[in-house]
Amino acid sequence: MKLSVIKLDGKASGDVELSDAVFGITDIRGDLLARYVNWQLAKRRAGTHKVQTRNENSRTGKKMYKQKGTGGARHGSRRAPQFVGGSRAFGPIVRDHGFSLPKKVRALALRHALSSKAKAGDLIVVDTVSVKEPKTAKLREQFGKLGWTKALIIAGPEVDVNFGMAARNIPHIDVLPNAGLNVYDILRADKLVLTKAAVEAIEARFSEKEAA
């Protein structure tokens, strides 16, 4: 599929041929996208929530009262969860919430996410993203003219320093290098903006996987 290339000032800068295997999938699988997003967000969870278990509770471990003759239930410690000040039964502990997801599933989900933006007309290819001075107000004005109010910008192998500094304070604008491309950020952005270098890197990445 062919897509027009623009510059940051909105002027045309030729065309680019996009791979149908990466950007031209028409039957978008929501189940793949959901699996990837759940996997990605699970990895981000800190998992540091914790409660005291019985062996960590500082209350006395002495038997509360004699075993027999009281007419009450048999208890051995005030650390038991049914007592005020006792430990919690089956509470959260420090753990890793992440789970494994096959590489092939991750790669396929990324292709479907890229294709979903192309199918919806929300994929934009720009020549380069660089500015002479890190002026946020000027860049925000340019984005407003282009209609980029909530966009993910993949800048290429590295993000231009001035462009990154100018864009970092603009709400709902994320600028990442090629290595930061991910399904979650693609889906939550209204526009996906790729530089020509980013397009070449993405297509090369998937062609290498197919060859392997």
Side-chain angles (χ1 to χ4, degrees):
M1 61 181 293
K2 185 176 288 187
L3 202 65
S4 299
V5 181
I6 63 171
K7 298 180 181 179
L8 276 180
D9 58 7
K11 295 181 180 178
S13 182
D15 298 319
V16 64
E17 190 71 31
L18 300 179
S19 169
D20 288 336
V22 180
F23 297 95
I25 300 173
T26 55
D27 186 15
I28 307 300
R29 288 185 54 183
D31 61 314
L32 281 177
L33 301 178
R35 286 180 66 185
Y36 189 106
V37 170
N38 288 337
W39 169 78
Q40 188 174 341
L41 295 183
K43 287 205 309 175
R44 286 169 49 174
R45 294 183 65 179
T48 53
H49 48 354
K50 187 183 183 307
V51 294
Q52 283 188 335
T53 55
R54 288 184 65 162
N55 65 323
E56 296 169 333
N57 196 312
S58 61
R59 299 193 75 180
T60 179
K62 181 183 177 182
K63 188 169 175 67
M64 297 168 56
Y65 44 74
K66 63 182 183 178
Q67 179 81 349
K68 296 180 179 294
T70 64
R74 298 167 290 183
H75 292 294
S77 173
R78 287 197 179 273
R79 299 176 185 175
Q82 61 264 43
F83 297 116
V84 175
S87 303
R88 181 174 166 188
F90 308 114
I93 58 174
V94 176
R95 67 185 182 92
D96 181 10
H97 289 272
F99 56 90
S100 62
L101 189 66
K103 287 183 179 180
K104 288 187 177 180
V105 175
R106 282 181 268 160
L108 187 58
L110 184 56
R111 286 167 52 195
H112 277 253
L114 293 168
S115 296
S116 70
K117 288 299 181 186
K119 183 179 179 180
D122 295 327
L123 175 63
I124 301 167
V125 180
V126 296
D127 191 11
T128 57
V129 284
S130 60
V131 291
K132 294 180 180 179
E133 295 180 315
K135 300 292 184 181
T136 299
K138 186 176 180 180
L139 192 60
R140 185 190 292 113
E141 183 181 351
Q142 284 182 308
F143 287 171
K145 292 178 181 178
L146 293 169
W148 301 355
T149 55
K150 188 177 182 182
L152 170 65
I153 302 173
I154 305 300
E158 293 182 357
V159 179
D160 177 71
V161 176
N162 288 338
F163 184 85
M165 291 177 66
R168 66 186 179 184
N169 287 330
I170 303 178
H172 310 302
I173 298 293
D174 295 319
V175 183
L176 299 173
N178 294 341
L181 184 68
N182 65 88
V183 170
Y184 177 66
D185 284 335
I186 291 174
L187 295 180
R188 72 189 187 94
D190 291 340
K191 299 289 184 182
L192 173 61
V193 181
L194 303 176
T195 63
K196 291 176 69 175
V199 171
E200 292 172 1
I202 292 169
E203 293 185 348
R205 172 179 169 183
F206 283 106
S207 63
E208 289 174 1
K209 287 182 179 179
E210 289 174 1

